Amino acid sequence: MSKRLAIKMAIGGLVTALALASADRPASAKDVIRCQAKGQPDVIMTLDGERKFGRVLSCIKGDFVADMTPCAPNGGYGLSYPTGSASLAKVVDRWQDYADHLGGITGYAADVSSLRFDGGFYSPNQRKRGAWGSHWAFKVDRLTGKATLMQEGKPDIGYACAKARPRF
């Protein structure tokens, strides 16, 4: 085998190995957003960092989240089980698809200038068809890094957000 062919094969093998290694790493390694506010616990978002039900999901963590797994696809909803660990039961794309769901719901929408997570609970017995009780919303301006946490019955809280890189 010529030296040139051996080098090409070695480079090809290295490229393949790197591609396989990066496929196993979660996308969240480069898409973590940390939001901070004075006197408040941090809010952490992983954008397109989870895969479940054959979908790419974004998630949010904060002390305002309770009894649900707050992950959803862009433009869709994550539906959590109503009891137990409140893990994710399924994901749907339209509000009509959670009309018979009892439990936590997380909505997520992103575009080039903003991110928004909404969380709450839905009960089919609610008066307005298709209505769900939004208990919190977290909206981020991607251009300024400013965010607002809106919670039912509480004053809004302003946050400053920045891309973060996990240390390990």
Side-chain angles (χ1 to χ4, degrees):
M1 165 180 344
S2 74
K3 189 173 184 179
R4 182 180 236 169
L5 181 58
I7 291 172
K8 282 184 178 181
M9 289 177 63
I11 290 173
L14 180 60
V15 168
T16 301
L18 289 173
L20 290 172
S22 66
D24 292 337
R25 288 178 36 212
S28 63
K30 65 177 180 174
D31 296 88
V32 176
I33 309 298
R34 180 182 184 189
C35 301
Q36 298 178 298
K38 188 175 181 176
Q40 299 293 323
D42 290 353
V43 174
I44 307 295
M45 294 175 284
T46 56
L47 307 181
D48 300 332
E50 299 283 332
R51 282 196 173 274
K52 203 160 200 170
F53 307 110
R55 305 287 298 274
V56 174
L57 307 177
S58 294
C59 303
I60 187 168
K61 292 180 183 177
D63 72 340
F64 52 89
V65 177
D67 299 327
M68 68 175 68
T69 298
C71 300
N74 190 10
Y77 304 91
L79 310 181
S80 297
Y81 288 106
T83 59
S85 65
S87 61
L88 211 54
K90 66 180 178 177
V91 296
V92 297
D93 293 310
R94 305 173 320 138
W95 66 265
Q96 295 92 335
D97 295 332
Y98 65 71
D100 62 349
H101 177 72
L102 178 63
I105 300 173
T106 303
Y108 172 66
D111 59 34
V112 295
S113 63
S114 66
L115 305 170
R116 183 180 177 106
F117 283 92
D118 293 282
F121 296 89
Y122 180 80
S123 170
N125 297 331
Q126 290 177 336
R127 288 184 199 162
K128 285 184 357 183
R129 180 125 175 96
W132 63 302
S134 179
H135 289 87
W136 55 265
F138 195 79
K139 185 172 183 179
V140 182
D141 183 318
R142 294 179 94 166
L143 304 177
T144 65
K146 293 181 180 178
T148 305
L149 171 62
M150 298 155 280
Q151 296 179 82
E152 183 178 63
K154 295 183 179 180
D156 293 351
I157 301 171
Y159 283 79
C161 302
K163 195 170 188 177
R165 184 179 172 124
R167 292 180 187 238
F168 50 90

